[in-house]
Amino acid sequence: GQQLNQSPQSMFIQEGEDVSMNCTSSSIFNTWLWYKQEPGEGPVLLIALYKAGELTSNGRLTAQFGITRKDSFLNISASIPSDVGIYFCAGNSGYALNFGKGTSLLVTP
Amino acid sequence: DTGVSQDPRHKITKRGQNVTFRCDPISEHNRLYWYRQTLGQGPEFLTYFQNEAQLEKSRLLSDRFSAERPKGSFSTLEIQRTEQGDSAMYLCASSPPSVAGFTDTQYFGPGTRLTVL
């Protein structure tokens, strides 16, 4: 599958701070998805983006589908301890989702 | 809870044994996917079903792996003659019938953690 480059690899922040992470690809995708995964569990869908340029919010989360269709970012505002986990971006151009390696987020109270 | 369910959640087996995992998708989701995830990596696609038809298989799916979805509802993934390299989290996902102009959004189950000794 296509390679997705996700950055940063990890983040260690204080409660209340805003967080930004992004994902780039050498290939075009029709859909960008953002998932959160906690230890021992499957990925949970956070936001789905279907159109280039689309900006979508889900509570404190905001994500955008890049104009070139080769990138996406996810912002988390006013982080809280339960935001801890690994955040994955995924691009879909057919049946399969292509995932990045994830951004590990740690939040201290 | 009406999400994707997987059974068992954990499986420990000895090298050379066969194992089978089950996935029950969200009801009315006709599309079902299997992925494998190893430590520090994102999930990697294995195979895709639309109803009972297996439409795509990754080259990761060696001939020791077989997946079925006989009635278009639940699916099973069998690994024969397990190897230590098969140790991973096996994830199932499902998505509803495709709506024109939109690519599928996939919803994942909790996974089956396989450890091969």
mmCIF file of all heavy atoms in Angstrom, chain A residues 1 30-31 33 35 37 40-45 48 50-51 88 92-102, chain B residues 9 31 33 35 37 40-43 45 48 55-56 59 89 91 102-111:
data_model
loop_
_atom_site.group_PDB
_atom_site.id
_atom_site.type_symbol
_atom_site.label_atom_id
_atom_site.label_comp_id
_atom_site.label_asym_id
_atom_site.label_seq_id
_atom_site.Cartn_x
_atom_site.Cartn_y
_atom_site.Cartn_z
ATOM 1 N N GLY A 1 0.805 -1.200 0.000
ATOM 2 C CA GLY A 1 0.000 0.000 0.000
ATOM 3 C C GLY A 1 0.838 1.249 0.000
ATOM 4 O O GLY A 1 2.057 1.209 0.122
ATOM 5 N N ASN A 30 -9.035 9.681 -1.808
ATOM 6 C CA ASN A 30 -10.399 10.171 -1.931
ATOM 7 C C ASN A 30 -11.014 10.496 -0.582
ATOM 8 O O ASN A 30 -11.973 11.260 -0.502
ATOM 9 C CB ASN A 30 -11.274 9.119 -2.625
ATOM 10 C CG ASN A 30 -10.804 8.829 -4.030
ATOM 11 O OD1 ASN A 30 -10.314 9.715 -4.724
ATOM 12 N ND2 ASN A 30 -10.948 7.589 -4.457
ATOM 13 N N THR A 31 -10.498 9.873 0.458
ATOM 14 C CA THR A 31 -11.006 10.050 1.813
ATOM 15 C C THR A 31 -9.832 10.058 2.778
ATOM 16 O O THR A 31 -8.893 9.285 2.600
ATOM 17 C CB THR A 31 -11.955 8.882 2.196
ATOM 18 O OG1 THR A 31 -13.005 8.787 1.253
ATOM 19 C CG2 THR A 31 -12.541 9.076 3.591
ATOM 20 N N LEU A 33 -9.216 9.755 6.965
ATOM 21 C CA LEU A 33 -9.860 9.405 8.221
ATOM 22 C C LEU A 33 -8.862 9.553 9.359
ATOM 23 O O LEU A 33 -7.664 9.300 9.180
ATOM 24 C CB LEU A 33 -10.368 7.955 8.178
ATOM 25 C CG LEU A 33 -11.310 7.592 7.020
ATOM 26 C CD1 LEU A 33 -11.476 6.095 6.923
ATOM 27 C CD2 LEU A 33 -12.648 8.264 7.221
ATOM 28 N N TYR A 35 -8.249 8.273 13.349
ATOM 29 C CA TYR A 35 -8.645 7.311 14.367
ATOM 30 C C TYR A 35 -7.809 7.530 15.629
ATOM 31 O O TYR A 35 -6.668 7.992 15.562
ATOM 32 C CB TYR A 35 -8.415 5.869 13.906
ATOM 33 C CG TYR A 35 -9.311 5.382 12.800
ATOM 34 C CD1 TYR A 35 -8.989 5.584 11.461
ATOM 35 C CD2 TYR A 35 -10.477 4.678 13.091
ATOM 36 C CE1 TYR A 35 -9.806 5.107 10.443
ATOM 37 C CE2 TYR A 35 -11.312 4.188 12.080
ATOM 38 C CZ TYR A 35 -10.962 4.413 10.764
ATOM 39 O OH TYR A 35 -11.782 3.933 9.769
ATOM 40 N N GLN A 37 -6.495 5.192 18.991
ATOM 41 C CA GLN A 37 -6.395 3.834 19.501
ATOM 42 C C GLN A 37 -5.787 3.847 20.900
ATOM 43 O O GLN A 37 -4.761 4.490 21.128
ATOM 44 C CB GLN A 37 -5.551 2.954 18.576
ATOM 45 C CG GLN A 37 -5.554 1.486 18.941
ATOM 46 C CD GLN A 37 -4.826 0.629 17.920
ATOM 47 O OE1 GLN A 37 -3.915 1.083 17.244
ATOM 48 N NE2 GLN A 37 -5.249 -0.634 17.784
ATOM 49 N N GLY A 40 -4.580 -2.144 23.664
ATOM 50 C CA GLY A 40 -5.404 -3.346 23.691
ATOM 51 C C GLY A 40 -6.759 -3.221 23.027
ATOM 52 O O GLY A 40 -7.572 -4.145 23.105
ATOM 53 N N GLU A 41 -7.000 -2.094 22.381
ATOM 54 C CA GLU A 41 -8.295 -1.866 21.735
ATOM 55 C C GLU A 41 -8.116 -1.597 20.243
ATOM 56 O O GLU A 41 -7.010 -1.338 19.772
ATOM 57 C CB GLU A 41 -9.013 -0.673 22.386
ATOM 58 C CG GLU A 41 -9.299 -0.859 23.866
ATOM 59 C CD GLU A 41 -10.278 -1.991 24.136
ATOM 60 O OE1 GLU A 41 -11.162 -2.244 23.290
ATOM 61 O OE2 GLU A 41 -10.156 -2.629 25.208
ATOM 62 N N GLY A 42 -9.227 -1.650 19.520
ATOM 63 C CA GLY A 42 -9.181 -1.308 18.105
ATOM 64 C C GLY A 42 -9.259 0.194 17.894
ATOM 65 O O GLY A 42 -9.631 0.942 18.809
ATOM 66 N N PRO A 43 -8.917 0.668 16.705
ATOM 67 C CA PRO A 43 -9.010 2.107 16.408
ATOM 68 C C PRO A 43 -10.461 2.575 16.439
ATOM 69 O O PRO A 43 -11.352 1.882 15.941
ATOM 70 C CB PRO A 43 -8.434 2.221 14.993
ATOM 71 C CG PRO A 43 -7.656 0.954 14.779
ATOM 72 C CD PRO A 43 -8.351 -0.095 15.584
ATOM 73 N N VAL A 44 -10.676 3.760 16.999
ATOM 74 C CA VAL A 44 -12.001 4.364 17.068
ATOM 75 C C VAL A 44 -12.022 5.567 16.129
ATOM 76 O O VAL A 44 -11.145 6.437 16.210
ATOM 77 C CB VAL A 44 -12.337 4.802 18.504
ATOM 78 C CG1 VAL A 44 -13.658 5.559 18.544
ATOM 79 C CG2 VAL A 44 -12.400 3.586 19.422
ATOM 80 N N LEU A 45 -12.998 5.608 15.255
ATOM 81 C CA LEU A 45 -13.097 6.694 14.279
ATOM 82 C C LEU A 45 -13.397 8.021 14.978
ATOM 83 O O LEU A 45 -14.320 8.120 15.784
ATOM 84 C CB LEU A 45 -14.190 6.387 13.260
ATOM 85 C CG LEU A 45 -14.397 7.426 12.165
ATOM 86 C CD1 LEU A 45 -13.173 7.492 11.257
ATOM 87 C CD2 LEU A 45 -15.653 7.106 11.348
ATOM 88 N N ALA A 48 -14.061 11.859 9.697
ATOM 89 C CA ALA A 48 -13.938 11.409 8.309
ATOM 90 C C ALA A 48 -14.045 12.625 7.391
ATOM 91 O O ALA A 48 -14.908 13.485 7.588
ATOM 92 C CB ALA A 48 -15.033 10.402 7.972
ATOM 93 N N TYR A 50 -14.158 13.891 3.279
ATOM 94 C CA TYR A 50 -14.497 13.318 1.980
ATOM 95 C C TYR A 50 -14.168 14.206 0.796
ATOM 96 O O TYR A 50 -14.198 13.735 -0.344
ATOM 97 C CB TYR A 50 -15.980 12.973 1.935
ATOM 98 C CG TYR A 50 -16.419 11.975 2.985
ATOM 99 C CD1 TYR A 50 -17.181 12.370 4.074
ATOM 100 C CD2 TYR A 50 -16.060 10.640 2.888
ATOM 101 C CE1 TYR A 50 -17.583 11.458 5.036
ATOM 102 C CE2 TYR A 50 -16.458 9.718 3.843
ATOM 103 C CZ TYR A 50 -17.219 10.133 4.909
ATOM 104 O OH TYR A 50 -17.609 9.229 5.853
ATOM 105 N N LYS A 51 -13.910 15.502 1.046
ATOM 106 C CA LYS A 51 -13.690 16.428 -0.069
ATOM 107 C C LYS A 51 -12.450 17.258 0.180
ATOM 108 O O LYS A 51 -12.211 17.734 1.300
ATOM 109 C CB LYS A 51 -14.887 17.365 -0.222
ATOM 110 C CG LYS A 51 -16.158 16.680 -0.663
ATOM 111 C CD LYS A 51 -17.350 17.619 -0.571
ATOM 112 C CE LYS A 51 -17.215 18.841 -1.421
ATOM 113 N NZ LYS A 51 -18.428 19.691 -1.386
ATOM 114 N N PHE A 88 -4.047 7.865 14.602
ATOM 115 C CA PHE A 88 -3.667 7.397 13.275
ATOM 116 C C PHE A 88 -4.431 8.166 12.206
ATOM 117 O O PHE A 88 -5.637 8.373 12.325
ATOM 118 C CB PHE A 88 -3.996 5.915 13.105
ATOM 119 C CG PHE A 88 -3.103 4.985 13.867
ATOM 120 C CD1 PHE A 88 -3.512 4.444 15.076
ATOM 121 C CD2 PHE A 88 -1.858 4.626 13.363
ATOM 122 C CE1 PHE A 88 -2.699 3.575 15.780
ATOM 123 C CE2 PHE A 88 -1.031 3.753 14.066
ATOM 124 C CZ PHE A 88 -1.459 3.233 15.268
ATOM 125 N N ASN A 92 -7.908 6.547 2.007
ATOM 126 C CA ASN A 92 -8.663 5.508 1.315
ATOM 127 C C ASN A 92 -8.810 5.894 -0.154
ATOM 128 O O ASN A 92 -9.379 6.933 -0.459
ATOM 129 C CB ASN A 92 -10.037 5.354 1.968
ATOM 130 C CG ASN A 92 -10.793 4.142 1.449
ATOM 131 O OD1 ASN A 92 -10.558 3.688 0.345
ATOM 132 N ND2 ASN A 92 -11.699 3.634 2.250
ATOM 133 N N SER A 93 -8.307 5.037 -1.028
ATOM 134 C CA SER A 93 -8.483 5.284 -2.464
ATOM 135 C C SER A 93 -9.141 4.098 -3.142
ATOM 136 O O SER A 93 -9.222 4.030 -4.344
ATOM 137 C CB SER A 93 -7.133 5.570 -3.120
ATOM 138 O OG SER A 93 -6.261 4.479 -2.936
ATOM 139 N N GLY A 94 -9.605 3.160 -2.377
ATOM 140 C CA GLY A 94 -10.238 1.957 -2.927
ATOM 141 C C GLY A 94 -10.848 1.186 -1.780
ATOM 142 O O GLY A 94 -11.550 1.769 -0.961
ATOM 143 N N TYR A 95 -10.575 -0.096 -1.702
ATOM 144 C CA TYR A 95 -11.116 -0.887 -0.603
ATOM 145 C C TYR A 95 -10.321 -0.705 0.684
ATOM 146 O O TYR A 95 -10.877 -0.615 1.768
ATOM 147 C CB TYR A 95 -11.111 -2.380 -0.963
ATOM 148 C CG TYR A 95 -11.905 -2.710 -2.209
ATOM 149 C CD1 TYR A 95 -11.357 -3.475 -3.222
ATOM 150 C CD2 TYR A 95 -13.205 -2.263 -2.359
ATOM 151 C CE1 TYR A 95 -12.079 -3.786 -4.356
ATOM 152 C CE2 TYR A 95 -13.941 -2.574 -3.497
ATOM 153 C CZ TYR A 95 -13.373 -3.337 -4.489
ATOM 154 O OH TYR A 95 -14.083 -3.646 -5.603
ATOM 155 N N ALA A 96 -9.008 -0.673 0.547
ATOM 156 C CA ALA A 96 -8.153 -0.737 1.727
ATOM 157 C C ALA A 96 -7.860 0.642 2.284
ATOM 158 O O ALA A 96 -7.725 1.619 1.541
ATOM 159 C CB ALA A 96 -6.829 -1.428 1.369
ATOM 160 N N LEU A 97 -7.765 0.717 3.614
ATOM 161 C CA LEU A 97 -7.244 1.917 4.257
ATOM 162 C C LEU A 97 -5.729 1.777 4.379
ATOM 163 O O LEU A 97 -5.223 0.715 4.736
ATOM 164 C CB LEU A 97 -7.845 2.082 5.652
ATOM 165 C CG LEU A 97 -9.318 2.485 5.731
ATOM 166 C CD1 LEU A 97 -9.758 2.574 7.188
ATOM 167 C CD2 LEU A 97 -9.564 3.795 5.013
ATOM 168 N N ASN A 98 -5.020 2.867 4.083
ATOM 169 C CA ASN A 98 -3.574 2.936 4.260
ATOM 170 C C ASN A 98 -3.303 3.818 5.469
ATOM 171 O O ASN A 98 -3.709 4.976 5.482
ATOM 172 C CB ASN A 98 -2.915 3.536 3.022
ATOM 173 C CG ASN A 98 -3.170 2.711 1.783
ATOM 174 O OD1 ASN A 98 -2.497 1.744 1.508
ATOM 175 N ND2 ASN A 98 -4.179 3.100 1.024
ATOM 176 N N PHE A 99 -2.632 3.258 6.463
ATOM 177 C CA PHE A 99 -2.433 3.958 7.722
ATOM 178 C C PHE A 99 -1.027 4.521 7.851
ATOM 179 O O PHE A 99 -0.055 3.952 7.333
ATOM 180 C CB PHE A 99 -2.655 2.997 8.899
ATOM 181 C CG PHE A 99 -4.095 2.726 9.216
ATOM 182 C CD1 PHE A 99 -4.811 1.788 8.499
ATOM 183 C CD2 PHE A 99 -4.727 3.421 10.235
ATOM 184 C CE1 PHE A 99 -6.149 1.530 8.794
ATOM 185 C CE2 PHE A 99 -6.057 3.174 10.540
ATOM 186 C CZ PHE A 99 -6.769 2.232 9.822
ATOM 187 N N GLY A 100 -0.919 5.641 8.599
ATOM 188 C CA GLY A 100 0.371 6.109 9.061
ATOM 189 C C GLY A 100 0.820 5.275 10.246
ATOM 190 O O GLY A 100 0.114 4.365 10.697
ATOM 191 N N LYS A 101 1.997 5.624 10.798
ATOM 192 C CA LYS A 101 2.524 4.884 11.941
ATOM 193 C C LYS A 101 2.018 5.416 13.271
ATOM 194 O O LYS A 101 2.316 4.860 14.328
ATOM 195 C CB LYS A 101 4.048 4.884 11.927
ATOM 196 C CG LYS A 101 4.635 4.072 10.785
ATOM 197 C CD LYS A 101 6.142 3.913 10.934
ATOM 198 C CE LYS A 101 6.680 2.985 9.856
ATOM 199 N NZ LYS A 101 8.134 2.732 10.015
ATOM 200 N N GLY A 102 1.276 6.504 13.226
ATOM 201 C CA GLY A 102 0.655 7.000 14.442
ATOM 202 C C GLY A 102 1.434 8.083 15.145
ATOM 203 O O GLY A 102 2.666 8.185 15.015
ATOM 204 N N ARG B 9 -10.765 -12.351 22.247
ATOM 205 C CA ARG B 9 -9.988 -11.118 22.346
ATOM 206 C C ARG B 9 -8.500 -11.418 22.436
ATOM 207 O O ARG B 9 -7.670 -10.624 22.005
ATOM 208 C CB ARG B 9 -10.420 -10.319 23.586
ATOM 209 C CG ARG B 9 -11.836 -9.778 23.516
ATOM 210 C CD ARG B 9 -11.969 -8.666 22.456
ATOM 211 N NE ARG B 9 -10.964 -7.628 22.591
ATOM 212 C CZ ARG B 9 -11.067 -6.581 23.390
ATOM 213 N NH1 ARG B 9 -12.138 -6.421 24.133
ATOM 214 N NH2 ARG B 9 -10.099 -5.670 23.431
ATOM 215 N N ARG B 31 -20.035 -4.666 3.953
ATOM 216 C CA ARG B 31 -18.604 -4.698 3.630
ATOM 217 C C ARG B 31 -17.807 -5.022 4.890
ATOM 218 O O ARG B 31 -18.048 -4.437 5.949
ATOM 219 C CB ARG B 31 -18.163 -3.365 3.038
ATOM 220 C CG ARG B 31 -18.873 -3.076 1.737
ATOM 221 C CD ARG B 31 -18.701 -1.641 1.282
ATOM 222 N NE ARG B 31 -19.415 -1.456 0.033
ATOM 223 C CZ ARG B 31 -18.837 -1.056 -1.098
ATOM 224 N NH1 ARG B 31 -17.540 -0.803 -1.130
ATOM 225 N NH2 ARG B 31 -19.556 -0.913 -2.179
ATOM 226 N N TYR B 33 -13.745 -6.113 6.421
ATOM 227 C CA TYR B 33 -12.314 -6.045 6.151
ATOM 228 C C TYR B 33 -11.551 -6.703 7.306
ATOM 229 O O TYR B 33 -11.963 -6.612 8.461
ATOM 230 C CB TYR B 33 -11.849 -4.588 6.053
ATOM 231 C CG TYR B 33 -12.718 -3.691 5.215
ATOM 232 C CD1 TYR B 33 -13.910 -3.179 5.723
ATOM 233 C CD2 TYR B 33 -12.351 -3.334 3.923
ATOM 234 C CE1 TYR B 33 -14.721 -2.355 4.962
ATOM 235 C CE2 TYR B 33 -13.159 -2.499 3.155
ATOM 236 C CZ TYR B 33 -14.338 -2.019 3.682
ATOM 237 O OH TYR B 33 -15.135 -1.188 2.931
ATOM 238 N N TYR B 35 -7.594 -6.668 8.967
ATOM 239 C CA TYR B 35 -6.303 -5.997 9.016
ATOM 240 C C TYR B 35 -5.426 -6.704 10.054
ATOM 241 O O TYR B 35 -5.931 -7.346 10.973
ATOM 242 C CB TYR B 35 -6.449 -4.526 9.446
ATOM 243 C CG TYR B 35 -7.104 -3.627 8.424
ATOM 244 C CD1 TYR B 35 -8.493 -3.594 8.268
ATOM 245 C CD2 TYR B 35 -6.341 -2.775 7.621
ATOM 246 C CE1 TYR B 35 -9.091 -2.758 7.339
ATOM 247 C CE2 TYR B 35 -6.938 -1.930 6.690
ATOM 248 C CZ TYR B 35 -8.312 -1.937 6.560
ATOM 249 O OH TYR B 35 -8.908 -1.109 5.635
ATOM 250 N N GLN B 37 -2.119 -5.751 12.729
ATOM 251 C CA GLN B 37 -1.340 -4.663 13.306
ATOM 252 C C GLN B 37 -0.258 -5.212 14.210
ATOM 253 O O GLN B 37 -0.538 -5.971 15.134
ATOM 254 C CB GLN B 37 -2.242 -3.710 14.108
ATOM 255 C CG GLN B 37 -1.524 -2.478 14.631
ATOM 256 C CD GLN B 37 -2.459 -1.539 15.377
ATOM 257 O OE1 GLN B 37 -3.486 -1.947 15.913
ATOM 258 N NE2 GLN B 37 -2.120 -0.258 15.408
ATOM 259 N N GLY B 40 3.888 -0.825 17.184
ATOM 260 C CA GLY B 40 4.505 0.382 16.643
ATOM 261 C C GLY B 40 4.117 0.713 15.216
ATOM 262 O O GLY B 40 4.661 1.655 14.627
ATOM 263 N N GLN B 41 3.189 -0.047 14.663
ATOM 264 C CA GLN B 41 2.767 0.169 13.286
ATOM 265 C C GLN B 41 1.263 0.443 13.218
ATOM 266 O O GLN B 41 0.520 0.097 14.133
ATOM 267 C CB GLN B 41 3.074 -1.059 12.428
ATOM 268 C CG GLN B 41 4.534 -1.473 12.429
ATOM 269 C CD GLN B 41 5.424 -0.436 11.770
ATOM 270 O OE1 GLN B 41 5.071 0.156 10.750
ATOM 271 N NE2 GLN B 41 6.592 -0.197 12.361
ATOM 272 N N GLY B 42 0.841 1.033 12.114
ATOM 273 C CA GLY B 42 -0.590 1.143 11.866
ATOM 274 C C GLY B 42 -1.119 -0.169 11.309
ATOM 275 O O GLY B 42 -0.352 -1.034 10.881
ATOM 276 N N PRO B 43 -2.421 -0.345 11.317
ATOM 277 C CA PRO B 43 -3.002 -1.561 10.741
ATOM 278 C C PRO B 43 -2.649 -1.708 9.266
ATOM 279 O O PRO B 43 -2.553 -0.726 8.537
ATOM 280 C CB PRO B 43 -4.510 -1.344 10.921
ATOM 281 C CG PRO B 43 -4.627 -0.384 12.061
ATOM 282 C CD PRO B 43 -3.455 0.518 11.929
ATOM 283 N N PHE B 45 -3.770 -3.780 5.714
ATOM 284 C CA PHE B 45 -4.903 -4.459 5.074
ATOM 285 C C PHE B 45 -4.553 -5.896 4.705
ATOM 286 O O PHE B 45 -3.476 -6.179 4.176
ATOM 287 C CB PHE B 45 -5.297 -3.677 3.818
ATOM 288 C CG PHE B 45 -6.305 -4.364 2.947
ATOM 289 C CD1 PHE B 45 -7.646 -4.379 3.301
ATOM 290 C CD2 PHE B 45 -5.919 -4.988 1.771
ATOM 291 C CE1 PHE B 45 -8.588 -4.996 2.496
ATOM 292 C CE2 PHE B 45 -6.853 -5.606 0.956
ATOM 293 C CZ PHE B 45 -8.195 -5.611 1.314
ATOM 294 N N TYR B 48 -10.787 -8.179 1.923
ATOM 295 C CA TYR B 48 -12.038 -7.420 1.877
ATOM 296 C C TYR B 48 -13.149 -8.290 1.321
ATOM 297 O O TYR B 48 -12.960 -9.000 0.322
ATOM 298 C CB TYR B 48 -11.833 -6.188 1.000
ATOM 299 C CG TYR B 48 -13.091 -5.536 0.474
ATOM 300 C CD1 TYR B 48 -13.986 -4.922 1.333
ATOM 301 C CD2 TYR B 48 -13.364 -5.513 -0.896
ATOM 302 C CE1 TYR B 48 -15.123 -4.304 0.851
ATOM 303 C CE2 TYR B 48 -14.503 -4.899 -1.387
ATOM 304 C CZ TYR B 48 -15.376 -4.293 -0.513
ATOM 305 O OH TYR B 48 -16.515 -3.677 -0.999
ATOM 306 N N LEU B 55 -13.387 -9.964 -2.416
ATOM 307 C CA LEU B 55 -13.070 -9.195 -3.611
ATOM 308 C C LEU B 55 -11.610 -8.776 -3.706
ATOM 309 O O LEU B 55 -11.142 -8.426 -4.793
ATOM 310 C CB LEU B 55 -13.966 -7.956 -3.699
ATOM 311 C CG LEU B 55 -15.460 -8.215 -3.856
ATOM 312 C CD1 LEU B 55 -16.216 -6.899 -4.049
ATOM 313 C CD2 LEU B 55 -15.742 -9.178 -4.997
ATOM 314 N N GLU B 56 -10.919 -8.747 -2.574
ATOM 315 C CA GLU B 56 -9.525 -8.321 -2.640
ATOM 316 C C GLU B 56 -8.724 -8.986 -1.533
ATOM 317 O O GLU B 56 -9.225 -9.139 -0.415
ATOM 318 C CB GLU B 56 -9.426 -6.793 -2.518
ATOM 319 C CG GLU B 56 -8.024 -6.239 -2.777
ATOM 320 C CD GLU B 56 -8.025 -4.750 -3.045
ATOM 321 O OE1 GLU B 56 -9.052 -4.215 -3.496
ATOM 322 O OE2 GLU B 56 -6.977 -4.112 -2.801
ATOM 323 N N ARG B 59 -1.105 -9.094 -0.610
ATOM 324 C CA ARG B 59 -0.031 -10.093 -0.720
ATOM 325 C C ARG B 59 0.479 -10.515 0.665
ATOM 326 O O ARG B 59 1.210 -11.491 0.789
ATOM 327 C CB ARG B 59 1.115 -9.563 -1.571
ATOM 328 C CG ARG B 59 1.794 -8.349 -1.020
ATOM 329 C CD ARG B 59 2.968 -7.940 -1.933
ATOM 330 N NE ARG B 59 3.662 -6.767 -1.413
ATOM 331 C CZ ARG B 59 3.317 -5.525 -1.728
ATOM 332 N NH1 ARG B 59 2.320 -5.310 -2.530
ATOM 333 N NH2 ARG B 59 3.983 -4.512 -1.228
ATOM 334 N N MET B 89 -1.933 -8.137 16.391
ATOM 335 C CA MET B 89 -3.356 -7.875 16.649
ATOM 336 C C MET B 89 -4.074 -8.014 15.307
ATOM 337 O O MET B 89 -3.663 -7.400 14.312
ATOM 338 C CB MET B 89 -3.536 -6.460 17.203
ATOM 339 C CG MET B 89 -4.978 -6.050 17.347
ATOM 340 S SD MET B 89 -5.701 -6.673 18.866
ATOM 341 C CE MET B 89 -5.382 -5.278 19.957
ATOM 342 N N LEU B 91 -7.408 -7.236 13.360
ATOM 343 C CA LEU B 91 -8.538 -6.320 13.470
ATOM 344 C C LEU B 91 -9.540 -6.568 12.346
ATOM 345 O O LEU B 91 -9.155 -6.817 11.204
ATOM 346 C CB LEU B 91 -8.054 -4.869 13.374
ATOM 347 C CG LEU B 91 -7.185 -4.368 14.520
ATOM 348 C CD1 LEU B 91 -6.406 -3.132 14.101
ATOM 349 C CD2 LEU B 91 -8.034 -4.071 15.748
ATOM 350 N N PHE B 102 -19.120 8.786 -2.299
ATOM 351 C CA PHE B 102 -18.401 8.740 -1.029
ATOM 352 C C PHE B 102 -17.714 7.396 -0.879
ATOM 353 O O PHE B 102 -18.305 6.355 -1.118
ATOM 354 C CB PHE B 102 -19.359 8.963 0.145
ATOM 355 C CG PHE B 102 -19.882 10.363 0.213
ATOM 356 C CD1 PHE B 102 -21.071 10.700 -0.404
ATOM 357 C CD2 PHE B 102 -19.182 11.345 0.897
ATOM 358 C CE1 PHE B 102 -21.549 11.991 -0.355
ATOM 359 C CE2 PHE B 102 -19.656 12.649 0.955
ATOM 360 C CZ PHE B 102 -20.846 12.975 0.325
ATOM 361 N N THR B 103 -16.467 7.458 -0.463
ATOM 362 C CA THR B 103 -15.718 6.241 -0.190
ATOM 363 C C THR B 103 -16.044 5.771 1.216
ATOM 364 O O THR B 103 -16.434 6.547 2.065
ATOM 365 C CB THR B 103 -14.215 6.517 -0.339
ATOM 366 O OG1 THR B 103 -13.991 7.213 -1.539
ATOM 367 C CG2 THR B 103 -13.436 5.225 -0.373
ATOM 368 N N ASP B 104 -15.891 4.479 1.428
ATOM 369 C CA ASP B 104 -16.337 3.860 2.666
ATOM 370 C C ASP B 104 -15.638 4.396 3.902
ATOM 371 O O ASP B 104 -14.442 4.656 3.894
ATOM 372 C CB ASP B 104 -16.092 2.359 2.602
ATOM 373 C CG ASP B 104 -16.804 1.720 1.443
ATOM 374 O OD1 ASP B 104 -17.857 2.241 1.046
ATOM 375 O OD2 ASP B 104 -16.316 0.710 0.943
ATOM 376 N N THR B 105 -16.367 4.550 4.975
ATOM 377 C CA THR B 105 -15.826 4.812 6.304
ATOM 378 C C THR B 105 -15.862 3.511 7.056
ATOM 379 O O THR B 105 -16.912 2.876 7.140
ATOM 380 C CB THR B 105 -16.675 5.873 7.023
ATOM 381 O OG1 THR B 105 -16.631 7.086 6.275
ATOM 382 C CG2 THR B 105 -16.131 6.129 8.410
ATOM 383 N N GLN B 106 -14.735 3.096 7.590
ATOM 384 C CA GLN B 106 -14.623 1.791 8.208
ATOM 385 C C GLN B 106 -14.607 1.896 9.731
ATOM 386 O O GLN B 106 -13.900 2.731 10.300
ATOM 387 C CB GLN B 106 -13.357 1.085 7.705
ATOM 388 C CG GLN B 106 -13.413 0.838 6.200
ATOM 389 C CD GLN B 106 -12.185 0.147 5.657
ATOM 390 O OE1 GLN B 106 -11.451 -0.521 6.396
ATOM 391 N NE2 GLN B 106 -11.959 0.283 4.360
ATOM 392 N N TYR B 107 -15.389 1.024 10.368
ATOM 393 C CA TYR B 107 -15.513 0.984 11.823
ATOM 394 C C TYR B 107 -14.879 -0.310 12.317
ATOM 395 O O TYR B 107 -15.245 -1.391 11.858
ATOM 396 C CB TYR B 107 -16.993 1.048 12.225
ATOM 397 C CG TYR B 107 -17.671 2.315 11.756
ATOM 398 C CD1 TYR B 107 -18.252 2.391 10.485
ATOM 399 C CD2 TYR B 107 -17.694 3.456 12.559
ATOM 400 C CE1 TYR B 107 -18.840 3.561 10.037
ATOM 401 C CE2 TYR B 107 -18.295 4.622 12.123
ATOM 402 C CZ TYR B 107 -18.866 4.672 10.852
ATOM 403 O OH TYR B 107 -19.459 5.832 10.417
ATOM 404 N N PHE B 108 -13.972 -0.160 13.257
ATOM 405 C CA PHE B 108 -13.168 -1.283 13.702
ATOM 406 C C PHE B 108 -13.722 -1.954 14.954
ATOM 407 O O PHE B 108 -14.342 -1.309 15.810
ATOM 408 C CB PHE B 108 -11.735 -0.838 13.984
ATOM 409 C CG PHE B 108 -10.920 -0.635 12.744
ATOM 410 C CD1 PHE B 108 -11.007 0.537 12.028
ATOM 411 C CD2 PHE B 108 -10.086 -1.641 12.275
ATOM 412 C CE1 PHE B 108 -10.273 0.728 10.864
ATOM 413 C CE2 PHE B 108 -9.345 -1.461 11.120
ATOM 414 C CZ PHE B 108 -9.444 -0.278 10.414
ATOM 415 N N GLY B 109 -13.458 -3.249 15.071
ATOM 416 C CA GLY B 109 -13.719 -3.989 16.290
ATOM 417 C C GLY B 109 -12.547 -3.872 17.251
ATOM 418 O O GLY B 109 -11.555 -3.207 16.945
ATOM 419 N N PRO B 110 -12.651 -4.527 18.424
ATOM 420 C CA PRO B 110 -11.609 -4.416 19.448
ATOM 421 C C PRO B 110 -10.356 -5.229 19.146
ATOM 422 O O PRO B 110 -9.343 -5.045 19.806
ATOM 423 C CB PRO B 110 -12.300 -4.934 20.703
ATOM 424 C CG PRO B 110 -13.316 -5.897 20.183
ATOM 425 C CD PRO B 110 -13.790 -5.322 18.883
ATOM 426 N N GLY B 111 -10.423 -6.127 18.168
ATOM 427 C CA GLY B 111 -9.253 -6.902 17.785
ATOM 428 C C GLY B 111 -9.103 -8.213 18.545
ATOM 429 O O GLY B 111 -9.677 -8.411 19.624
#
